[in-house]
Amino acid sequence: MLFSTLGLCEPILKAISETGYSKPTPIQQKAIPFILKGDDVLAAAQTGTGKTAAFTLPLLENLQKNHKHTAHRGKPKRHIRALILTPTRELAAQVGENVEMYSKYLPYNSTIIFGGVNINRQINAIKQGVDILIATPGRLLDLVSQKVVDLSKVEILVLDEADRMLDMGFIHDIKKVVKLIPKNRQTLLFSATFSKEIKALAAGFQNSPSLVEVAAQNTTSERVAQVVHPVDKARKRELLYKLIDDGQWQQVLVFTRTKHGANRLCEYLEKQGIRSAAIHGNKSQGARTKALASFKEKKIRVLVATDIAARGIDIDMLPHVVNFELPNVPEDYVHRIGRTGRAGRAGEAVSLVCIDENDFLRSIERLTSQKIKKVVIDGFDLNPNIKAEPVKMGGNRGRRGGGQKNQSKSSSPKKSSDKEWNEEKKKPNSRNRNRNRSRNKNTSRER
Ligand code: AMP
């Protein structure tokens, strides 16, 4: 199938041809026709499948089809006609770049708004007139309450990575936003999975949505070669350095479980002469944007990230993803390794697993219905005298890594000593939902 057969207008096709894409990805082939028909769409697609273009291209086409030329003092009169909600700043920025790219030959203005940066510039941008707004929920509501943003003329609403928005406790903000948008809108909901919560969200906001799914839930891409290197915890960083150095890896995304862990690893790699940067919730937006740009430009070889900070990171041809520590939420493993092997290219996902993490590994293998190959690297044999200990999740209090069966009991955040863990990870259990609800009162939680 070619893009030209989908029914997109010439200016959009021209912008696509400049990206060099030769044909639509499966999610694009399936979702675009429904969206062009005007249907509400509920799509299960993970990052890396081409999902952003799957909603952006038909969104632009629909805006174009329904365009009414109105003018004010000779200038086209603009109002927000499409709203794309994302869970994180990084994803908002990335979607914004995509919208700019695909709308290059169309007469639309788009702007991005998210928390953690100066609001005045965003206010000015909106006052210039915007057709397409890409926003995180907290800052958006802030601007609505200041009467800067008017959502009463929105025709198309997109909820991108809706599952993450729920995980991060945005449900109430989303509901408030939806109430401000006319009922006869088109609503597109994209999520990595079709969970019960997502279906409930869709039922509340969508009108008989068409369902589109491209990959089975929680499957990992066949293009990503996965391997586990068993290693003692204390020797993980040494092994990581060896892998990067021996393999001459030039661009590696490394996941750690905590912010401090990310910083420490980054310092170690720098000392070994490997240019590295860390991104996590404690870094300013400026520092995160700069680190990501340097990584994309290959000025640094290693980007060390926590799960939340890495959400939405879109790097072309990222060949290596390393789990320096396994996530205790098995779905996060699928998200993490989905950063490589994108858009048809091969990738490698390496996990450095110490004895404490064996339960996490078993949960991941259960979830993805596969056994991951284990390879002990020469010189890194496990010390048989080391016994498994509970995995620490940030604060001082240890917690046993119990995979799925133990999670509700022992891995859920409890006290303020777990602050770092709480900030980095919002799990969709009821305790967190309550916790997040109280956090919804301020906007600083967007990261
Ligand atoms: P996404 O799932 O939106 O994060 O996109 C993943 C990557 O696929 C991005 O780098 C896109 O630029 C790229 N991409 C999107 N559509 C296509 C396509 N039709 N052909 C090749 N690459 C694509």
Side-chain angles (χ1 to χ4, degrees), residues 225-229 333 348-353 372-375:
Q226 300 170 64
V227 64
V228 161
H229 294 315
Y333 175 84
E348 186 184 25
V350 173
S351 301
L352 310 187
V353 179
I372 307 173
K373 188 172 71 176
K374 287 198 180 77
V375 178

Side-chain angles (χ1 to χ4, degrees), residues 14 16 135 189 210 215 251 304 310 316 327 414 443:
K14 188 169 172 203
I16 297 171
L189 203 149
S210 299
Q251 231 186 358
V304 187
D316 279 344
K414 281 197 188 88
T443 55

Side-chain angles (χ1 to χ4, degrees), residues 145-286:
S145 69
Q146 294 189 38
K147 304 230 177 318
V148 176
V149 167
D150 171 11
L151 299 178
S152 67
K153 299 201 170 64
V154 169
E155 299 159 36
I156 307 173
L157 168 67
V158 183
L159 302 177
D160 190 16
E161 296 201 359
D163 50 337
R164 282 286 138 183
M165 286 203 258
L166 296 187
D167 283 0
M168 291 174 74
F170 285 130
I171 181 72
H172 297 282
D173 285 354
I174 294 173
K175 283 183 179 165
K176 280 188 209 158
V177 170
V178 172
K179 274 198 190 131
L180 301 166
I181 301 176
K183 282 215 166 57
N184 62 351
R185 64 177 183 264
Q186 181 176 27
T187 308
L188 312 176
L189 203 149
F190 278 69
S191 164
T193 58
F194 279 158
S195 63
K196 265 205 315 273
E197 290 83 1
I198 287 296
K199 285 185 183 148
L201 187 74
F205 298 154
Q206 294 193 298
N207 187 5
S208 322
S210 299
L211 300 187
V212 177
E213 200 167 6
V214 282
Q217 264 185 40
N218 296 317
T219 54
T220 47
S221 163
E222 282 163 15
R223 288 189 305 274
V224 180
Q226 300 170 64
V227 64
V228 161
H229 294 315
V231 58
D232 292 331
K233 187 157 79 187
R235 300 196 65 200
K236 278 190 177 185
R237 55 187 209 170
E238 206 185 316
L239 176 56
L240 176 63
Y241 169 66
K242 180 183 166 55
L243 292 171
I244 295 172
D245 197 48
D246 287 2
Q248 288 293 301
W249 294 354
Q250 297 306 319
Q251 231 186 358
V252 196
L253 177 61
V254 179
F255 285 94
T256 60
R257 214 178 286 130
T258 68
K259 298 184 255 193
H260 293 307
N263 287 341
R264 279 195 301 267
L265 183 59
C266 197
E267 278 161 26
Y268 168 81
L269 292 171
E270 281 276 321
K271 275 201 195 121
Q272 310 307 312
I274 297 199
R275 297 291 321 273
S276 313
I279 56 168
H280 51 65
N282 277 2
K283 296 265 177 182
S284 70
Q285 184 56 32

Side-chain angles (χ1 to χ4, degrees), residues 3 21 23-25 28 47-52 314 316 342-343:
F3 277 107
Y21 305 158
K23 60 183 180 54
T25 63
Q28 292 162 4
T47 33
T49 54
K51 68 176 173 66
T52 315
D314 174 19
D316 279 344
R342 300 177 121 197

